[in-house]
Amino acid sequence: MRSGELAKLTGVSTDTLRFYERNRLLPLAPRAANGYRCYPQESLARVLLIRRALGLGFSVAELARILKARDSGGAPCKTVRALAAEKLDHIEAQMKELARFRKELAATLRDWDHRLASARPGKPARLLEAISASPSRPRRPLLKRTS
Protein backbone atom coordinates (compact mmCIF):
# COMPACT_ATOMS: atom_id res chain seq x y z
CA MET A 1 0.00 0.00 0.00
CA ARG A 2 1.17 3.54 -0.61
CA SER A 3 2.08 5.91 2.20
CA GLY A 4 -1.12 7.92 1.95
CA GLU A 5 -3.23 4.80 2.37
CA LEU A 6 -1.18 3.54 5.31
CA ALA A 7 -1.30 6.96 6.92
CA LYS A 8 -5.07 7.11 6.58
CA LEU A 9 -5.57 3.61 8.00
CA THR A 10 -3.36 4.29 11.01
CA GLY A 11 -4.33 7.88 11.75
CA VAL A 12 -0.88 9.37 11.22
CA SER A 13 0.51 11.66 8.56
CA THR A 14 2.81 10.61 5.76
CA ASP A 15 5.45 12.80 7.43
CA THR A 16 5.06 10.65 10.56
CA LEU A 17 5.61 7.49 8.51
CA ARG A 18 8.81 8.98 7.12
CA PHE A 19 9.83 9.97 10.67
CA TYR A 20 9.27 6.38 11.81
CA GLU A 21 11.45 5.15 8.94
CA ARG A 22 14.25 7.65 9.67
CA ASN A 23 14.25 6.59 13.31
CA ARG A 24 14.29 2.87 12.52
CA LEU A 25 10.86 2.20 13.98
CA LEU A 26 9.41 1.20 10.63
CA PRO A 27 11.48 -0.69 8.05
CA LEU A 28 12.26 1.29 4.93
CA ALA A 29 9.50 0.77 2.41
CA PRO A 30 10.44 -0.53 -1.01
CA ARG A 31 9.89 1.93 -3.84
CA ALA A 32 7.73 1.50 -6.90
CA ALA A 33 9.07 2.42 -10.34
CA ASN A 34 7.60 5.90 -9.91
CA GLY A 35 9.48 6.37 -6.62
CA TYR A 36 6.47 6.05 -4.34
CA ARG A 37 6.84 4.05 -1.17
CA CYS A 38 5.00 0.72 -1.22
CA TYR A 39 4.45 -0.58 2.27
CA PRO A 40 3.82 -4.28 2.84
CA GLN A 41 0.57 -5.23 4.59
CA GLU A 42 2.36 -5.96 7.89
CA SER A 43 3.31 -2.27 8.10
CA LEU A 44 -0.24 -1.56 9.24
CA ALA A 45 0.17 -3.61 12.43
CA ARG A 46 3.67 -2.20 12.95
CA VAL A 47 2.52 1.43 12.80
CA LEU A 48 -0.36 0.71 15.18
CA LEU A 49 2.11 -0.97 17.57
CA ILE A 50 4.43 2.05 17.35
CA ARG A 51 1.60 4.47 18.08
CA ARG A 52 0.44 2.46 21.08
CA ALA A 53 3.96 2.10 22.50
CA LEU A 54 4.67 5.80 22.08
CA GLY A 55 1.32 6.52 23.71
CA LEU A 56 2.34 4.42 26.71
CA GLY A 57 5.40 6.59 27.17
CA PHE A 58 8.12 4.68 25.38
CA SER A 59 10.57 7.04 23.72
CA VAL A 60 11.47 6.80 20.06
CA ALA A 61 15.00 5.73 21.02
CA GLU A 62 13.76 3.05 23.42
CA LEU A 63 11.30 1.73 20.90
CA ALA A 64 13.93 1.70 18.14
CA ARG A 65 16.24 -0.44 20.33
CA ILE A 66 13.40 -2.80 21.25
CA LEU A 67 12.20 -3.22 17.67
CA LYS A 68 15.75 -3.69 16.38
CA ALA A 69 16.28 -6.50 18.87
CA ARG A 70 12.94 -8.07 18.01
CA ASP A 71 13.49 -7.75 14.26
CA SER A 72 16.88 -9.45 14.69
CA GLY A 73 15.19 -12.48 16.22
CA GLY A 74 15.63 -11.47 19.84
CA ALA A 75 13.00 -11.50 22.55
CA PRO A 76 13.33 -8.18 24.39
CA CYS A 77 10.31 -8.90 26.56
CA LYS A 78 12.14 -8.44 29.87
CA THR A 79 13.57 -5.13 28.65
CA VAL A 80 10.12 -3.96 27.61
CA ARG A 81 8.72 -5.00 30.99
CA ALA A 82 11.51 -3.23 32.89
CA LEU A 83 11.08 -0.02 30.89
CA ALA A 84 7.32 -0.04 31.46
CA ALA A 85 7.87 -0.58 35.20
CA GLU A 86 10.24 2.42 35.27
CA LYS A 87 7.59 4.51 33.55
CA LEU A 88 4.97 3.45 36.07
CA ASP A 89 7.32 4.31 38.95
CA HIS A 90 7.89 7.73 37.40
CA ILE A 91 4.15 8.31 37.05
CA GLU A 92 3.59 7.28 40.67
CA ALA A 93 6.23 9.78 41.79
CA GLN A 94 4.64 12.49 39.64
CA MET A 95 1.22 11.72 41.14
CA LYS A 96 2.61 12.07 44.67
CA GLU A 97 4.21 15.38 43.73
CA LEU A 98 0.95 16.55 42.16
CA ALA A 99 -0.97 15.59 45.31
CA ARG A 100 1.49 17.61 47.41
CA PHE A 101 1.18 20.52 45.00
CA ARG A 102 -2.63 20.29 45.05
CA LYS A 103 -2.66 20.39 48.84
CA GLU A 104 -0.31 23.38 48.92
CA LEU A 105 -2.30 25.25 46.28
CA ALA A 106 -5.60 24.58 48.09
CA ALA A 107 -4.06 25.93 51.32
CA THR A 108 -2.81 29.00 49.46
CA LEU A 109 -6.27 29.64 48.04
CA ARG A 110 -7.83 29.32 51.50
CA ASP A 111 -5.31 31.82 52.83
CA TRP A 112 -5.97 34.18 49.94
CA ASP A 113 -9.74 33.92 50.43
CA HIS A 114 -9.22 34.86 54.09
CA ARG A 115 -6.96 37.80 53.13
CA LEU A 116 -9.43 39.02 50.50
CA ALA A 117 -12.35 38.77 52.93
CA SER A 118 -10.51 40.78 55.58
CA ALA A 119 -8.85 43.32 53.25
CA ARG A 120 -10.07 46.88 53.36
CA PRO A 121 -11.99 47.91 50.23
CA GLY A 122 -9.73 49.45 47.60
CA LYS A 123 -6.56 48.28 49.34
CA PRO A 124 -4.36 45.50 47.91
CA ALA A 125 -4.47 42.17 49.71
CA ARG A 126 -0.84 41.45 48.73
CA LEU A 127 -1.56 37.86 47.70
CA LEU A 128 1.68 37.28 45.83
CA GLU A 129 3.70 38.74 48.69
CA ALA A 130 1.95 36.26 50.98
CA ILE A 131 3.26 33.31 49.00
CA SER A 132 6.80 34.64 48.95
CA ALA A 133 6.67 34.84 52.75
CA SER A 134 5.37 31.29 53.15
CA PRO A 135 7.84 28.65 54.32
CA SER A 136 7.27 26.20 51.46
CA ARG A 137 10.27 24.95 49.56
CA PRO A 138 10.94 25.85 45.92
CA ARG A 139 9.65 23.09 43.72
CA ARG A 140 10.93 21.52 40.57
CA PRO A 141 8.76 21.70 37.44
CA LEU A 142 5.82 19.29 37.50
CA LEU A 143 5.32 16.56 34.92
CA LYS A 144 8.87 16.64 33.66
CA ARG A 145 9.16 13.90 31.07
CA THR A 146 12.14 11.62 30.97
CA SER A 147 13.26 9.57 28.04
Side-chain angles (χ1 to χ4, degrees):
M1 73 185 87
R2 296 206 345 219
S3 56
E5 183 182 0
L6 180 60
K8 185 176 179 181
L9 289 171
T10 58
V12 301
S13 68
T14 55
D15 287 340
T16 298
L17 294 176
R18 288 190 293 275
F19 173 81
Y20 291 169
E21 285 184 16
R22 281 192 310 275
N23 286 279
R24 310 281 192 251
L25 300 178
L26 186 63
L28 294 175
R31 303 284 184 139
N34 60 8
Y36 291 152
R37 288 174 169 86
C38 293
Y39 291 95
Q41 187 62 36
E42 58 269 11
S43 297
L44 176 63
R46 177 76 167 232
V47 173
L48 294 174
L49 177 146
I50 293 165
R51 290 192 66 208
R52 183 69 179 135
L54 293 174
L56 286 173
F58 287 90
S59 71
V60 169
E62 290 168 338
L63 194 52
R65 284 192 311 272
I66 292 164
L67 292 173
K68 180 180 179 183
R70 194 177 83 167
D71 292 344
S72 299
C77 300
K78 289 183 179 183
T79 300
V80 171
R81 168 61 171 84
L83 285 169
E86 286 177 21
K87 290 170 191 332
L88 181 59
D89 290 345
H90 183 73
I91 289 169
E92 294 291 342
Q94 285 180 316
M95 290 176 66
K96 286 178 183 174
E97 180 65 18
L98 280 171
R100 282 191 293 273
F101 178 64
R102 181 179 186 272
K103 184 178 178 181
E104 184 178 330
L105 187 55
T108 299
L109 286 170
R110 284 190 302 275
D111 176 60
W112 285 0
D113 289 343
H114 175 72
R115 289 173 182 273
L116 288 170
S118 61
R120 293 192 349 223
K123 296 290 182 180
R126 306 262 184 232
L127 301 181
L128 293 177
E129 288 78 358
I131 61 171
S132 66
S134 74
S136 70
R137 62 179 169 78
R139 63 177 59 258
R140 67 181 192 277
L142 296 176
L143 300 177
K144 184 178 178 186
R145 188 173 181 155
T146 60
S147 59

XYZ file of all heavy atoms in Angstrom, residues 12-63:
416
model
N -2.070 8.524 11.150
C -0.878 9.365 11.215
C -0.685 10.046 9.864
O -1.340 9.700 8.888
C 0.394 8.550 11.584
C 0.240 7.854 12.927
C 0.765 7.562 10.496
N 0.216 10.984 9.822
C 0.508 11.658 8.556
C 1.594 10.896 7.799
O 2.309 10.070 8.371
C 0.978 13.088 8.819
O 2.242 13.078 9.457
N 1.724 11.213 6.532
C 2.809 10.608 5.757
C 4.160 11.087 6.289
O 5.141 10.342 6.244
C 2.666 10.921 4.256
O 2.584 12.339 4.079
C 1.425 10.259 3.675
N 4.220 12.309 6.798
C 5.453 12.797 7.429
C 5.814 11.933 8.631
O 6.988 11.651 8.871
C 5.305 14.253 7.888
C 5.301 15.237 6.732
O 5.776 14.888 5.637
O 4.816 16.374 6.936
N 4.814 11.512 9.389
C 5.064 10.655 10.556
C 5.609 9.306 10.102
O 6.536 8.770 10.720
C 3.774 10.485 11.381
O 3.375 11.761 11.865
C 3.981 9.537 12.542
N 5.088 8.761 9.031
C 5.613 7.493 8.509
C 7.083 7.643 8.127
O 7.903 6.778 8.453
C 4.799 7.021 7.305
C 3.349 6.624 7.574
C 2.644 6.284 6.264
C 3.269 5.472 8.563
N 7.410 8.747 7.475
C 8.811 8.977 7.117
C 9.663 9.152 8.369
O 10.801 8.672 8.425
C 8.927 10.187 6.187
C 8.397 9.899 4.785
C 8.720 11.004 3.804
N 8.036 12.253 4.098
C 6.813 12.563 3.708
N 6.098 11.687 3.011
N 6.276 13.730 4.002
N 9.128 9.821 9.395
C 9.833 9.967 10.670
C 10.100 8.595 11.280
O 11.202 8.321 11.764
C 8.997 10.835 11.619
C 9.544 10.919 13.012
C 10.582 11.785 13.317
C 9.015 10.128 14.026
C 11.092 11.854 14.613
C 9.517 10.194 15.315
C 10.563 11.061 15.610
N 9.103 7.727 11.274
C 9.275 6.377 11.805
C 10.370 5.631 11.044
O 11.164 4.901 11.636
C 7.972 5.585 11.733
C 6.867 6.031 12.664
C 5.583 5.536 12.513
C 7.084 6.931 13.709
C 4.548 5.914 13.367
C 6.066 7.309 14.564
C 4.800 6.802 14.381
O 3.781 7.175 15.227
N 10.405 5.796 9.734
C 11.449 5.147 8.937
C 12.831 5.702 9.294
O 13.766 4.934 9.519
C 11.192 5.345 7.440
C 10.095 4.498 6.872
C 9.953 4.663 5.366
O 10.886 5.198 4.710
O 8.908 4.262 4.834
N 12.946 7.036 9.360
C 14.245 7.652 9.675
C 14.769 7.217 11.032
O 15.974 7.115 11.239
C 14.131 9.183 9.660
C 14.145 9.814 8.306
C 14.322 11.321 8.379
N 13.427 12.003 9.286
C 12.195 12.417 9.001
N 11.691 12.188 7.797
N 11.472 13.049 9.893
N 13.857 6.964 11.959
C 14.250 6.592 13.311
C 14.242 5.086 13.544
O 14.285 4.631 14.683
C 13.364 7.315 14.327
C 13.732 8.769 14.414
O 14.694 9.115 15.091
N 13.010 9.618 13.702
N 14.181 4.330 12.482
C 14.287 2.869 12.518
C 13.156 2.182 13.291
O 13.331 1.088 13.802
C 15.631 2.424 13.086
C 16.844 3.073 12.463
C 17.166 2.424 11.139
N 18.487 2.825 10.657
C 18.667 3.623 9.619
N 17.647 4.106 8.949
N 19.878 3.926 9.218
N 12.014 2.834 13.362
C 10.856 2.200 13.981
C 10.101 1.370 12.945
O 9.516 0.344 13.276
C 9.908 3.252 14.572
C 10.485 4.164 15.648
C 9.438 5.177 16.089
C 10.987 3.363 16.820
N 10.116 1.843 11.746
C 9.414 1.201 10.631
C 10.451 0.883 9.566
O 11.234 1.757 9.182
C 8.352 2.167 10.087
C 7.403 1.683 9.016
C 6.536 0.536 9.535
C 6.500 2.831 8.560
N 10.500 -0.361 9.109
C 11.476 -0.692 8.053
C 11.255 0.193 6.825
O 10.128 0.588 6.520
C 11.173 -2.158 7.738
C 10.480 -2.688 8.939
C 9.714 -1.524 9.516
N 12.356 0.484 6.144
C 12.256 1.289 4.929
C 11.339 0.580 3.933
O 11.478 -0.624 3.705
C 13.629 1.494 4.309
C 14.613 2.331 5.120
C 15.986 2.343 4.437
C 14.099 3.744 5.303
N 10.442 1.341 3.371
C 9.504 0.767 2.406
C 10.160 0.666 1.038
O 10.870 1.584 0.620
C 8.254 1.636 2.324
N 9.935 -0.440 0.368
C 10.436 -0.534 -1.013
C 9.766 0.542 -1.872
O 8.675 1.025 -1.542
C 10.016 -1.932 -1.464
C 9.453 -2.619 -0.281
C 9.213 -1.607 0.791
N 10.417 0.900 -2.954
C 9.894 1.935 -3.844
C 9.366 1.317 -5.137
O 9.948 0.371 -5.675
C 10.991 2.943 -4.206
C 11.650 3.631 -3.035
C 10.758 4.691 -2.458
N 11.427 5.418 -1.386
C 11.334 6.709 -1.230
N 10.608 7.431 -2.050
N 11.934 7.289 -0.228
N 8.276 1.890 -5.598
C 7.730 1.499 -6.901
C 8.573 2.170 -7.983
O 9.421 3.025 -7.694
C 6.271 1.928 -7.005
N 8.315 1.841 -9.230
C 9.065 2.421 -10.344
C 8.942 3.941 -10.375
O 9.872 4.641 -10.774
C 8.580 1.814 -11.662
N 7.812 4.446 -9.914
C 7.597 5.897 -9.913
C 8.188 6.581 -8.674
O 8.050 7.777 -8.500
C 6.108 6.211 -10.037
C 5.292 5.622 -8.903
O 5.835 5.090 -7.926
N 3.974 5.723 -9.031
N 8.842 5.801 -7.800
C 9.484 6.368 -6.619
C 8.621 6.397 -5.375
O 9.107 6.744 -4.298
N 7.359 6.052 -5.498
C 6.471 6.047 -4.339
C 6.809 4.878 -3.408
O 7.157 3.796 -3.876
C 5.003 5.923 -4.759
C 4.450 7.136 -5.468
C 3.414 6.988 -6.385
C 4.915 8.415 -5.217
C 2.874 8.090 -7.044
C 4.385 9.519 -5.868
C 3.374 9.347 -6.778
O 2.844 10.429 -7.408
N 6.650 5.122 -2.138
C 6.843 4.047 -1.166
C 5.687 3.053 -1.282
O 4.534 3.459 -1.391
C 6.868 4.610 0.254
C 8.115 5.379 0.599
C 7.969 6.007 1.989
N 9.203 6.547 2.480
C 9.660 7.764 2.211
N 8.956 8.588 1.450
N 10.814 8.186 2.713
N 6.013 1.776 -1.192
C 5.003 0.718 -1.222
C 5.188 -0.121 0.034
O 6.093 -0.957 0.108
C 5.165 -0.159 -2.465
S 4.809 0.709 -3.990
N 4.343 0.116 0.997
C 4.454 -0.583 2.273
C 3.802 -1.951 2.202
O 2.707 -2.098 1.663
C 3.779 0.227 3.377
C 4.507 1.493 3.724
C 4.157 2.702 3.148
C 5.556 1.479 4.642
C 4.827 3.874 3.466
C 6.229 2.647 4.970
C 5.865 3.838 4.383
O 6.537 4.987 4.698
N 4.457 -2.953 2.773
C 3.820 -4.276 2.843
C 2.666 -4.236 3.848
O 2.604 -3.363 4.714
C 4.946 -5.192 3.328
C 5.966 -4.306 3.939
C 5.808 -2.946 3.320
N 1.769 -5.190 3.748
C 0.573 -5.233 4.589
C 0.906 -5.235 6.082
O 0.208 -4.637 6.886
C -0.283 -6.455 4.235
C -1.625 -6.500 4.923
C -2.524 -5.321 4.555
O -2.513 -4.853 3.422
N -3.297 -4.828 5.511
N 2.001 -5.893 6.465
C 2.359 -5.964 7.890
C 2.755 -4.605 8.466
O 2.834 -4.445 9.686
C 3.442 -7.005 8.140
C 4.728 -6.805 7.385
C 4.772 -7.516 6.026
O 3.743 -8.010 5.551
O 5.871 -7.571 5.446
N 2.984 -3.627 7.619
C 3.306 -2.273 8.102
C 2.140 -1.672 8.878
O 2.356 -0.868 9.783
C 3.674 -1.360 6.936
O 4.838 -1.817 6.297
N 0.936 -2.065 8.535
C -0.245 -1.560 9.243
C -0.163 -1.914 10.730
O -0.276 -1.043 11.600
C -1.524 -2.123 8.619
C -2.843 -1.767 9.311
C -3.094 -0.268 9.273
C -3.989 -2.507 8.641
N 0.066 -3.179 11.028
C 0.174 -3.609 12.433
C 1.371 -2.959 13.105
O 1.309 -2.582 14.281
C 0.277 -5.131 12.510
N 2.456 -2.792 12.378
C 3.672 -2.200 12.949
C 3.433 -0.736 13.340
O 3.805 -0.318 14.436
C 4.807 -2.308 11.932
C 6.116 -1.692 12.338
C 6.861 -2.550 13.351
N 8.221 -2.113 13.497
C 9.283 -2.892 13.399
N 9.139 -4.186 13.175
N 10.485 -2.415 13.545
N 2.786 0.018 12.486
C 2.521 1.426 12.800
C 1.565 1.529 13.989
O 1.765 2.366 14.882
C 1.975 2.192 11.574
C 1.540 3.603 11.950
C 3.040 2.254 10.475
N 0.566 0.690 14.042
C -0.355 0.707 15.182
C 0.373 0.347 16.473
O 0.125 0.957 17.520
C -1.530 -0.236 14.926
C -2.458 0.182 13.777
C -3.505 -0.897 13.520
C -3.110 1.532 14.052
N 1.294 -0.616 16.406
C 2.111 -0.970 17.572
C 2.963 0.229 18.003
O 3.042 0.543 19.185
C 3.014 -2.156 17.222
C 3.980 -2.622 18.302
C 4.151 -4.127 18.217
C 5.315 -1.946 18.201
N 3.588 0.885 17.050
C 4.427 2.053 17.345
C 3.604 3.136 18.033
O 4.019 3.688 19.065
C 5.074 2.597 16.052
C 6.080 1.586 15.492
C 5.732 3.953 16.296
C 6.504 1.872 14.055
N 2.454 3.422 17.483
C 1.603 4.469 18.077
C 1.213 4.130 19.507
O 1.235 4.968 20.397
C 0.343 4.670 17.230
C 0.642 5.333 15.893
C -0.604 5.787 15.187
N -1.221 6.856 15.960
C -2.521 7.119 15.953
N -3.336 6.404 15.229
N -3.009 8.110 16.658
N 0.850 2.882 19.726
C 0.439 2.465 21.075
C 1.607 2.532 22.048
O 1.465 3.009 23.174
C -0.153 1.050 21.020
C -0.665 0.549 22.333
C -1.909 1.307 22.780
N -2.360 0.748 24.044
C -2.722 1.460 25.080
N -2.764 2.762 25.013
N -3.101 0.881 26.192
N 2.775 2.067 21.631
C 3.957 2.095 22.499
C 4.363 3.534 22.826
O 4.670 3.851 23.979
C 5.108 1.343 21.839
N 4.352 4.394 21.830
C 4.670 5.804 22.083
C 3.633 6.416 23.021
O 3.973 7.206 23.909
C 4.754 6.591 20.771
C 5.912 6.226 19.842
C 5.780 6.970 18.515
C 7.263 6.514 20.485
N 2.387 6.027 22.847
C 1.317 6.521 23.712
C 1.445 6.060 25.153
O 0.972 6.713 26.073
N 2.108 4.925 25.360
C 2.338 4.423 26.710
C 3.573 5.051 27.353
O 3.888 4.754 28.498
C 2.487 2.900 26.696
C 1.197 2.126 26.501
C 1.492 0.641 26.326
C 0.260 2.337 27.678
N 4.262 5.883 26.599
C 5.402 6.593 27.169
C 6.761 6.108 26.737
O 7.775 6.635 27.186
N 6.829 5.100 25.881
C 8.124 4.677 25.384
C 8.672 5.774 24.474
O 7.931 6.379 23.698
C 8.018 3.364 24.598
C 7.794 2.169 25.478
C 6.519 1.755 25.798
C 8.871 1.467 25.993
C 6.305 0.664 26.625
C 8.672 0.372 26.822
C 7.380 -0.031 27.141
N 9.957 6.033 24.587
C 10.572 7.043 23.724
C 10.872 6.425 22.365
O 10.897 5.195 22.210
C 11.855 7.578 24.350
O 12.873 6.586 24.307
N 11.115 7.270 21.397
C 11.467 6.801 20.062
C 12.751 5.975 20.136
O 12.846 4.900 19.535
C 11.612 7.995 19.090
C 12.240 7.572 17.773
C 10.252 8.648 18.856
N 13.730 6.461 20.901
C 15.002 5.734 21.015
C 14.808 4.377 21.684
O 15.380 3.369 21.232
C 16.010 6.570 21.794
N 14.023 4.330 22.749
C 13.759 3.047 23.416
C 13.074 2.079 22.466
O 13.449 0.911 22.358
C 12.867 3.254 24.639
C 13.526 3.957 25.791
C 12.536 4.393 26.858
O 11.324 4.536 26.577
O 13.003 4.611 27.989
N 12.065 2.587 21.802
C 11.305 1.735 20.896
C 12.167 1.255 19.733
O 12.065 0.089 19.320
C 10.068 2.487 20.401
C 9.001 1.668 19.722
C 8.573 0.472 20.553
C 7.791 2.546 19.411
